[in-house]
Amino acid sequence: MKLLLDQNLSHRLLRDIDPSFPGSQHVADFNLTAEDDEIVWKLAADRGFVIVSKDSDFFHRALLRGHPPKVIHLRVGNCSTQHIGNLLMDNVSLIHEFSLGSMESLLILE
């Protein structure tokens, strides 16, 4: 399972999560940092990514539309990149289970 990190997350997270989430990328890798969320949503759906974001827009989109793509919403406020990396790595099993489930479209991590 691969994650697509939204623009509000650091690109540096990729090196920390790669062992558990190989193939993960950042929206900057696709030159989408200034694009509308709909374009990011479509790319994630088409390429099999799970979107990871602190942005409530993806949260609402997942609630209204379901999946694909699935969304991991980080409710962490302002915090360090290390804290976010730890949060993702501490929840590897939960995230993998979520990605394989057929019903859930949204996972909230705090």
Side-chain angles (χ1 to χ4, degrees):
M1 183 227 348
K2 54 190 179 175
L3 305 178
L4 180 62
L5 304 180
D6 192 18
Q7 66 186 4
N8 54 27
L9 300 173
S10 173
H11 194 274
R12 291 178 291 146
L13 282 168
L14 291 174
R15 71 172 176 254
D16 297 332
I17 67 170
D18 185 64
S20 297
F21 304 104
S24 294
Q25 294 190 269
H26 192 276
V27 293
D29 297 330
F30 300 99
N31 295 316
L32 297 178
T33 55
E35 294 295 334
D36 184 81
D37 287 344
E38 184 63 28
I39 294 170
V40 174
W41 182 270
K42 181 164 177 24
L43 176 114
D46 291 347
R47 298 195 182 190
F49 284 103
V50 173
I51 297 172
V52 181
S53 181
K54 292 169 44 175
D55 186 346
S56 63
D57 290 343
F58 286 115
F59 170 87
H60 293 291
R61 216 176 274 264
L63 288 176
L64 293 172
R65 294 187 182 180
H67 60 83
K70 293 189 172 217
V71 173
I72 298 172
H73 180 68
L74 303 177
R75 276 198 198 154
V76 293
N78 290 333
C79 63
S80 69
T81 297
Q82 181 178 358
H83 177 79
I84 293 171
N86 290 342
L87 181 62
L88 292 171
M89 296 308 294
D90 289 347
N91 288 284
V92 169
S93 295
L94 178 64
I95 293 169
H96 280 287
E97 194 175 302
F98 163 70
S99 73
L100 296 173
S102 62
M103 300 298 292
E104 303 86 6
S105 61
L106 178 65
L107 174 65
I108 299 170
L109 297 178
E110 299 179 287

